[in-house]
Amino acid sequence: QSLLTRPENKAKDYLFYGQDPFKRPPTDLDYIGDLNTGRCYSETYDALIENPEREVLLPLVIASDGTHLGQFSCFELTKFQIALGILTREAREKDYNWGTLGWIPNIPKDKSHGRRAFVASEHADSTRFKAQLAHDEGLIGIDGQIHPSQDLHHMIAYVLKGLVELQKTGFLWDLNYNGTLYKDILFRPFVTFCRVDTKEADLFCGSYNVRNKNVAHLCRECHCPTLESDNHLAVHRAKTQRQISNLVLRKDEAALKSLSQQHILNAFYEVQFGCHNEMGIHGACPMEMLHAVYLGMFKRVRDTFFDHVGPESKAADQIDALAMSYGELYTRQSDREWPNTRFPGGIRAGKLNGKKYIGLILCLLSAIRCDAGTKILEKKPKWRELGVIRDWILLLETMLQWSAWLNSDQMKKSDVHRAKQKHKYIMYLMRKIAIRKTGMGLKLMKFHGILHMADAILNFGVPLEYDTGCNESHHIPTKKASQLTQKDLNKVEEQTAERLLEMEVLALAQAEIGGN
């Protein structure tokens, strides 16, 4: 209700085709843009809308990310939010267009295990805890065989309970849009996708949180074995919600382990996702650019380059200095579209802000291409081999072109279909040029996930739709609100939620007084 009545939203902020809330998505679109241009929206419309003259499809976007509350660095609080998909992407980047469904506190393992140990002791004072655990028995059990992730999904189920009920019936609403009052329209809500990073996505899908070589599957979307995660030609069938839930209900531990799926009742299995496939939550957590591309593959390519040069070598120092010099020169222009290229501490090491890796790759490419950089590298025998430097230039140029395309507001459908093959080519370049010998090499979820990116674009819209960058800024009000609490760890999540609600009410009152 609060999201549908935000006074800041105007007619231009809505996504209705032809300014008509009842209009069906066109079938002849040749581009991908906002989420209502993807297969998820159009095929769900056909499946759920029975009376087009009275019903309106209401896509929802879920976002969730944990944040440490300032000086309480040991306490993490996760806000569970939703936004309306009938608003444009630009409107959904505003924090006031995200509503909070609930909060997921980070319960320490010792506290959770201690509660169960207290119940097992059969002490007289444990009655209340036993009653609570008995109430949750279908989810977490009281037999000692409890998966730690089930507590999280039990909390998520509680937070999503109202949404699940609302999805079953829809709801009536008087929509005031573009100067017209549409009375008693029936909204049909469904969840399109979740804006989450790799860690949250694995937790939501019930996948193993460990990503080492001993895990059967790294991918939460398909049946790709871990040992084939670096195969750019891999083709594997998708994981479906029915398949996983049947194994859980049959308590088939061996089969679940072979899929790297946890033996839990997933809270998201009750949620209505898009009708474009049968994957449910397993296909609704697309790989996003901030953590998977920039902090994932761009960062690893940077690290691999300096590993090849020699991380402590004189050549590495000289390339780093050249890149810093070019970065300073690139800042002397007024084009706001250019990435940040100023790196006072150098580009060789350290964890940077995600989007800064675009500027970092640009500076590194400039340092390699220039005559001075080429002479520095050619002093090393490995880099004097025919084509080595040119191969690195090709890889870095391709990555910059790829990044520019991923940040497009619109994409031609034909280009997205071609990207399925192009992404394999990008993966091939990374495998052959940026040869990573440390850790698991390129047997990584963030590398394998590139194979799923084109389908995610076709399903949900351009990558900017599910990029988590703007949601990172939503942590700022949460941290401010936490400073206005009693700073008692037993009450901090409840009091933080209360302070945020009070701040929102005051902001609305101020807007009302100002005539908005």
Side-chain angles (χ1 to χ4, degrees):
Q1 182 178 5
S2 64
L3 293 176
L4 284 167
T5 56
R6 293 300 309 191
E8 298 90 346
N9 292 328
K10 310 301 179 184
K12 63 180 179 61
D13 296 315
Y14 286 84
L15 272 178
F16 299 127
Y17 285 104
Q19 299 183 344
D20 182 1
F22 301 104
K23 189 173 181 179
R24 189 203 179 282
T27 57
D28 57 348
L29 287 178
D30 61 352
Y31 68 90
I32 294 292
D34 280 297
L35 62 79
N36 65 337
T37 61
R39 292 185 298 211
C40 178
Y41 183 88
S42 59
E43 295 186 23
T44 305
Y45 183 96
D46 294 335
L48 298 185
I49 300 301
E50 299 176 356
N51 184 0
E53 297 181 356
R54 182 172 175 266
E55 299 177 4
V56 175
L57 191 64
L58 180 63
L60 301 174
V61 178
I62 289 179
S64 178
D65 191 20
T67 179
H68 292 286
L69 300 182
Q71 68 193 65
F72 296 104
S73 58
C74 63
F75 191 86
E76 185 180 28
L77 190 61
T78 301
K79 184 189 293 187
F80 217 84
Q81 297 178 292
I82 60 168
L84 304 179
I86 57 174
L87 298 175
T88 64
R89 183 178 66 256
E90 289 76 11
R92 277 182 274 118
E93 290 179 354
K94 310 297 183 182
D95 58 352
Y96 55 76
N97 278 323
W98 287 88
T100 303
L101 287 181
W103 300 81
I104 308 296
N106 181 24
I107 298 179
K109 292 182 179 179
D110 55 349
K111 182 177 179 180
S112 178
H113 292 172
R115 183 179 64 164
R116 296 190 178 98
F118 186 47
V119 170
S121 70
E122 298 185 355
H123 190 280
D125 291 338
S126 68
T127 305
R128 176 168 60 88
F129 293 98
K130 186 174 182 178
Q132 182 63 44
L133 287 178
H135 175 267
D136 302 338
E137 184 175 358
L139 289 173
I140 64 176
I142 57 174
D143 57 356
Q145 303 298 319
I146 305 145
H147 199 288
S149 293
Q150 190 65 77
D151 279 340
L152 170 66
H153 278 266
H154 181 48
M155 289 186 282
I156 293 175
Y158 185 84
V159 169
L160 293 176
K161 183 177 180 181
L163 176 61
V164 170
E165 293 298 323
L166 198 64
Q167 286 185 322
K168 294 177 181 178
T169 60
F171 63 95
L172 294 175
W173 186 258
D174 293 341
L175 178 65
N176 191 355
Y177 166 67
N178 201 22
T180 303
L181 181 64
Y182 298 89
K183 293 183 67 65
D184 290 335
I185 66 173
L186 180 63
F187 272 122
R188 294 287 187 185
F190 79 104
V191 176
T192 49
F193 54 82
C194 300
R195 274 188 175 186
V196 288
D197 58 22
T198 303
K199 174 187 173 183
E200 301 286 343
D202 287 344
L203 290 172
F204 284 8
C205 294
S207 301
Y208 282 8
N209 305 131
V210 179
R211 304 186 188 97
N212 58 37
K213 62 182 180 181
N214 298 320
V215 176
H217 289 181
L218 294 179
C219 185
R220 58 184 174 268
E221 296 187 43
C222 71
H223 291 263
C224 178
T226 297
L227 296 179
E228 294 186 31
S229 297
D230 60 347
N231 181 5
H232 61 285
L233 300 177
V235 178
H236 298 278
R237 60 191 178 93
K239 292 181 179 178
T240 64
Q241 180 172 304
R242 178 178 296 179
Q243 175 196 16
I244 306 300
S245 62
N246 285 342
L247 294 177
V248 171
L249 293 176
R250 294 204 307 264
K251 299 182 179 181
D252 193 338
E253 295 275 2
L256 288 169
K257 185 176 181 179
S258 69
L259 302 178
S260 296
Q261 288 292 142
Q262 298 166 344
H263 186 194
I264 59 173
L265 293 179
N266 196 308
F268 287 97
Y269 286 2
E270 299 296 323
V271 176
Q272 171 69 62
F273 284 96
C275 300
H276 59 295
N277 58 38
E278 298 180 352
M279 297 175 67
I281 184 63
H282 300 280
C285 296
M287 190 175 81
E288 41 81 44
M289 292 187 293
L290 179 63
H291 295 89
V293 177
Y294 301 143
L295 293 174
M297 299 318 305
F298 276 43
K299 179 177 181 294
R300 282 175 171 80
V301 167
R302 185 272 311 260
D303 295 344
T304 302
F305 172 82
F306 282 104
D307 284 342
H308 288 192
V309 175
E312 305 298 330
S313 65
K314 183 179 178 180
D317 292 336
Q318 293 173 328
I319 292 293
D320 197 6
L322 266 178
M324 290 170 59
S325 300
Y326 275 105
E328 289 293 333
L329 293 173
Y330 285 141
T331 60
R332 298 179 183 177
Q333 41 77 32
S334 58
D335 190 348
R336 297 294 182 182
E337 298 298 321
W338 273 66
N340 188 332
T341 58
R342 180 176 281 119
F343 301 98
I347 69 168
R348 187 167 31 167
K351 184 176 180 180
L352 305 171
N353 177 284
K355 292 188 178 180
K356 286 188 177 181
Y357 279 96
I358 304 174
L360 185 149
I361 295 295
L362 175 61
C363 294
L364 179 59
L365 172 62
S366 302
I368 297 175
R369 282 192 66 98
C370 72
D371 291 339
T374 301
K375 291 177 181 178
I376 292 169
L377 292 175
E378 286 180 343
K379 292 179 181 179
K380 289 185 165 291
K382 177 181 177 180
W383 290 85
R384 285 199 296 268
E385 295 178 10
L386 181 65
V388 174
I389 295 177
R390 294 182 65 86
D391 284 347
W392 271 99
I393 292 173
L394 173 63
L395 173 60
L396 297 179
E397 286 181 345
T398 302
M399 291 176 67
L400 289 175
Q401 295 166 4
W402 184 39
S403 172
W405 183 72
L406 291 177
N407 280 280
S408 302
D409 291 326
Q410 279 192 6
M411 300 174 175
K412 292 183 178 180
K413 278 188 177 179
S414 57
D415 289 344
V416 180
H417 284 290
R418 291 171 58 196
K420 294 181 180 181
Q421 190 65 30
K422 186 65 175 179
H423 283 167
K424 295 179 181 180
Y425 173 66
I426 294 173
M427 295 171 70
Y428 171 78
L429 290 181
M430 290 181 183
R431 288 187 63 187
K432 293 299 182 181
I433 300 170
I435 303 172
R436 186 169 181 260
K437 298 180 180 179
T438 59
M440 294 176 62
L442 286 176
K443 293 181 174 64
L444 308 167
M445 175 57 202
K446 292 177 181 179
F447 182 74
H448 169 78
I450 298 174
L451 292 173
H452 299 297
M453 290 183 69
D455 281 325
I457 296 172
L458 292 171
N459 289 336
F460 307 122
V462 295
L464 291 174
E465 284 290 321
Y466 39 89
D467 184 41
T468 60
C470 73
N471 293 92
E472 294 287 334
S473 63
H474 296 175
H475 296 323
I476 298 174
T478 302
K479 293 181 178 180
K480 289 181 177 178
S482 69
Q483 299 302 310
L484 302 175
T485 66
Q486 293 176 317
K487 301 180 181 179
D488 181 351
L489 293 182
N490 293 320
K491 302 177 181 177
V492 66
E493 69 267 18
E494 181 179 355
Q495 292 181 349
T496 299
E498 291 175 351
R499 297 296 88 78
L500 279 170
L501 183 60
E502 291 166 358
M503 292 162 64
E504 182 179 354
V505 170
L506 289 172
L508 288 172
Q510 188 175 8
E512 183 77 17
I513 293 172
N516 297 322

